[in-house]
Amino acid sequence: PLAAGTLRFFQCIEIERDVFVLASAPGKRCYTASYWALVPFVLVFVAVYAVGIPLLLLLLLRVARRRLGPLLLSLRYGFLVARYTERLYWFEFAVLVRKLAVVLAVTVLARDTSSAAVMIVLALVAAGAQVSNLRPYLVPAHSHLDSFCCFSAAAVMAGGLSTSSTGRAALVLGALALN
């Protein structure tokens, strides 16, 4: 929620010719001197929160695993690693990256919904392929379920891109029914 809220700063909509306002706060104009003065602060927050925290988590898990070993890592950080296989203890980082890709698509590409949808489809297909290939979960059915959900959500998004109303309805409803 914080990353999405911060990235909304870049969601500007045109209300009249060459007049842009924040979509989340229409009283605030975009692309003015005061807007550009805030951009560095927003970028720092995005870098720290949206990128820094996942990277810090990955670093913490890698260092803890080296120092503690797999058993103590699982005991101490079970809320982060317990559902994954021992070799893929870091997979929570991959889940955060998947979520970040979707949030970036929705917020940064908000004015171009087709591009946002395509980016989300690509992120979900990549995540589904990653899960299918790595099988990160201790319970194999969970890996199957995660990859299936990624692929079916991608199908729903792809269906929404269809220019044919019949094709769109069939793909979206079919993927939703499977999900």
Side-chain angles (χ1 to χ4, degrees):
L2 286 177
T6 304
L7 288 169
R8 279 192 203 108
F9 184 78
F10 298 108
Q11 286 183 324
C12 296
I13 56 173
E14 190 172 21
I15 56 171
E16 47 186 84
R17 185 171 170 82
D18 295 328
V19 178
F20 292 86
V21 296
L22 288 175
S24 59
K28 307 282 185 194
R29 298 229 3 219
C30 293
Y31 315 127
T32 63
S34 60
Y35 175 86
W36 290 114
L38 292 174
V39 167
F41 298 104
V42 173
L43 290 175
V44 167
F45 188 81
V46 167
V48 168
Y49 186 77
V51 178
I53 289 176
L55 285 174
L56 187 63
L57 170 71
L58 180 63
L59 179 66
L60 168 89
L61 290 176
R62 290 183 60 122
V63 169
R65 182 179 162 97
R66 242 190 333 268
R67 287 187 181 158
L68 302 173
L71 179 62
L72 285 177
L73 175 78
S74 185
L75 291 173
R76 187 168 292 169
Y77 299 103
F79 66 100
L80 292 170
V81 300
R83 72 183 133 240
Y84 305 115
T85 62
E86 189 177 307
R87 72 181 175 86
L88 294 170
Y89 66 94
W90 53 266
F91 200 76
E92 192 65 31
F93 170 76
V95 173
L96 290 175
V97 170
R98 175 194 324 174
K99 292 176 182 180
L100 178 61
V102 171
V103 167
L104 282 171
V106 169
T107 55
V108 174
L109 299 173
R111 287 189 6 208
D112 184 1
T113 55
S114 293
S115 294
V118 168
M119 185 173 164
I120 291 170
V121 168
L122 292 174
L124 290 171
V125 167
Q130 179 189 43
V131 171
S132 294
N133 183 42
L134 295 177
R135 297 184 188 119
Y137 296 94
L138 284 172
V139 178
H142 293 172
S143 290
H144 297 305
L145 183 63
D146 190 8
S147 61
F148 178 78
C149 287
C150 286
F151 290 134
S152 63
V156 169
M157 291 298 294
L161 291 168
S162 175
T163 56
S164 159
S165 61
T166 307
R168 180 175 44 247
L171 191 55
V172 169
L173 292 175
L176 285 173
L178 287 173
N179 207 353

